[in-house]
Amino acid sequence: MKVKTYILVILTLVMAACQKVVEFDIDEIPSQLVLNGLPSDGNRMFVNFAYSRFFLDTSAGRSAGSPEMTLNISGPSGTLTLHPDSLSRTNYFFLYTPQGGDSLSITVKVGANTVTSSTKIPKPLQVPTCNTFLTWTMPRTAGNTDTVLNLCVVNFTLSDYADEDNYYYITVSEHDSGSVFRETLQEFDTVDTLYRNNMFMCTDRALTGSDVLLSSPVVVLPMGYTVYDRIICNDKVLNGTSATHSIIIPILVDTNEVRGFKHELVFHIESIRPERVRYLLDVANATGMTQMFAEPAGVYSNVLVNGEQGLGLFSGISHLKFPLNTEPWPYPENIPSASKSAGIELPSEVVTEIYRIARQRYKK
């Protein structure tokens, strides 16, 4: 039976608003094969292989049946050919743990189609130290809500490989869980949310200089206190050196949180391949309706289907993550009064903009 999905599209006009029903006949939307895999140094190898799905479909992609999948590995210890040893939904696992320097190629045959891709595993990341400290920026009032803005400064040492052109991908995730009072609804709400790209600031030109930064900031603020949700950069400035770098995470304390609310911040740094750089930048640049599709239109892929560009990404990474020490959470009563004058004092316009961006997230 023909299945039709209806979407209510609201178009805001200058003087009025109207509604239009857009009809999609999903029987006429062809499915395509999609291969995704991020083989990581030191972690068991697996790939996801399935058919693409309609962008309003929240289920996993439809299984590709019983594909013939072959993984070829070439590394310092020799060559190896493997087939999947286990399957979980549309994830195919191999009895193999990638190591830095390994070259991988994968071939999948399903029906009359042949899907291929290849990549290399970057050398293991060299980040011997990562530590944090909290600093006080003084209580401030913005709008009608009294808040406290604190800063979590993350210092990490990064040793770059001189014989490789490295690309680095830096993000901060935050897992919030607990109870919070919603003023607009006048009721308590239970929160359990993971923010994969939390905002942070960085003034380090080795990571954000015009000749190294590949991604775009969220907003440019005065005195170098620019806000990012990710940093993708090359190693032009680092190039074989070892140095300590810093990022600054603004912590806007929500005074409506019920005590016991948990904030789990994690600092992530990855060494990534050029194909993933291109893929990430294409996804970030995708606008309009393309962001709503499972596989955004026009996004780069290093996956070939019958010799032509397909969908998905197969790209090696080296990934490290560091849980950040933010305990006790910087509620006003938890911060010694002696530390109030020892913090980093941000310009007022920077504080105002950080507050505005952070409040947008809390209102969701």
Side-chain angles (χ1 to χ4, degrees):
M1 182 177 67
K2 181 177 289 187
V3 180
K4 294 184 179 180
T5 303
Y6 298 91
I7 306 172
L8 185 64
V9 179
I10 299 182
L11 303 174
T12 304
L13 304 177
V14 176
M15 299 300 294
C18 65
Q19 295 181 352
K20 182 178 181 180
V21 175
V22 179
E23 183 178 305
F24 287 91
D25 187 347
I26 63 176
D27 287 343
E28 297 179 1
I29 300 175
S31 292
Q32 300 182 61
L33 292 167
V34 183
L35 173 68
N36 280 305
L38 295 176
S40 176
D41 173 67
N43 295 292
R44 187 180 179 187
M45 171 79 187
F46 78 95
V47 297
N48 183 278
F49 185 66
Y51 282 100
S52 59
R53 65 186 187 275
F54 183 61
F55 72 96
L56 290 181
D57 187 353
T58 58
S59 63
R62 179 169 58 90
S63 171
S66 301
E68 180 184 335
M69 188 175 296
T70 304
L71 178 68
N72 292 301
I73 306 151
S74 176
S77 57
T79 60
L80 186 64
T81 298
L82 294 175
H83 303 283
D85 71 314
S86 60
L87 172 65
S88 175
R89 300 181 69 178
T90 56
N91 292 322
Y92 296 80
F93 291 83
F94 296 82
L95 195 60
Y96 159 66
T97 300
Q99 301 296 322
D102 286 354
S103 294
L104 311 179
S105 64
I106 190 167
T107 302
V108 186
K109 294 182 178 180
V110 52
N113 298 303
T114 300
V115 181
T116 59
S117 191
S118 61
T119 189
K120 186 175 181 179
I121 308 299
K123 291 181 179 180
L125 273 166
Q126 301 179 102
V127 183
T129 62
C130 180
N131 57 72
T132 64
F133 69 90
L134 299 176
T135 181
W136 180 268
T137 64
M138 302 300 291
R140 297 182 184 274
T141 300
N144 296 321
T145 305
D146 291 328
T147 64
V148 178
L149 178 66
N150 289 273
L151 305 176
C152 177
V153 181
V154 182
N155 295 319
F156 61 98
T157 301
L158 175 61
S159 298
D160 183 70
Y161 289 100
D163 57 345
E164 284 192 356
D165 291 328
N166 295 301
Y167 295 88
Y168 295 107
Y169 183 34
I170 296 171
T171 57
V172 175
S173 64
E174 179 177 349
H175 181 204
D176 291 350
S177 59
S179 183
V180 62
F181 183 73
R182 302 296 189 192
E183 292 183 345
T184 54
L185 302 176
Q186 289 295 296
E187 63 182 31
F188 287 92
D189 184 21
T190 300
V191 174
D192 188 8
T193 306
L194 175 64
Y195 302 97
R196 295 188 182 277
N197 296 98
N198 208 24
M199 71 174 185
F200 59 93
M201 297 181 292
C202 183
T203 60
D204 192 328
R205 306 306 292 173
L207 304 176
T208 62
S210 59
D211 57 339
V212 299
L213 184 65
L214 302 173
S215 53
S216 300
V218 174
V219 62
V220 177
L221 297 180
M223 299 177 62
Y225 290 104
T226 294
V227 177
Y228 303 88
D229 63 357
R230 72 200 69 193
I231 287 176
I232 303 175
C233 64
N234 60 41
D235 68 346
K236 278 188 178 180
V237 174
L238 303 174
N239 196 26
T241 64
S242 179
T244 299
H245 309 278
S246 298
I247 66 168
I248 304 171
I249 306 171
I251 298 177
L252 185 70
V253 175
D254 188 345
T255 55
N256 288 321
E257 293 172 1
V258 177
R259 290 300 185 266
F261 195 100
K262 292 184 179 180
H263 298 268
E264 298 171 338
L265 290 166
V266 179
F267 170 70
H268 300 262
I269 181 167
E270 299 178 39
S271 178
I272 63 177
R273 298 278 301 161
E275 64 266 13
R276 188 164 179 230
V277 172
R278 184 172 174 182
Y279 178 87
L280 288 168
L281 295 180
D282 276 2
V283 170
N285 290 332
T287 57
M289 288 291 288
T290 59
Q291 289 180 320
M292 301 173 65
F293 286 85
E295 293 294 330
V299 171
Y300 168 79
S301 172
N302 69 336
V303 175
L304 298 178
V305 179
N306 300 325
E308 298 182 357
Q309 180 173 312
L311 295 177
L313 183 74
F314 183 63
S315 185
I317 66 172
S318 177
H319 177 210
L320 290 177
K321 61 181 181 180
F322 299 90
L324 303 180
N325 180 21
T326 57
E327 295 296 335
W329 190 249
Y331 292 113
E333 64 269 26
N334 289 338
I335 299 179
S337 58
S339 69
K340 294 182 181 180
S341 61
I344 300 172
E345 195 65 28
L346 298 179
S348 59
E349 56 266 43
V350 172
V351 174
T352 300
E353 187 65 15
I354 290 173
Y355 176 86
R356 183 190 67 79
I357 296 171
R359 289 303 295 175
Q360 287 179 347
R361 189 186 78 177
Y362 289 130
K363 288 179 181 178
K364 294 180 179 179

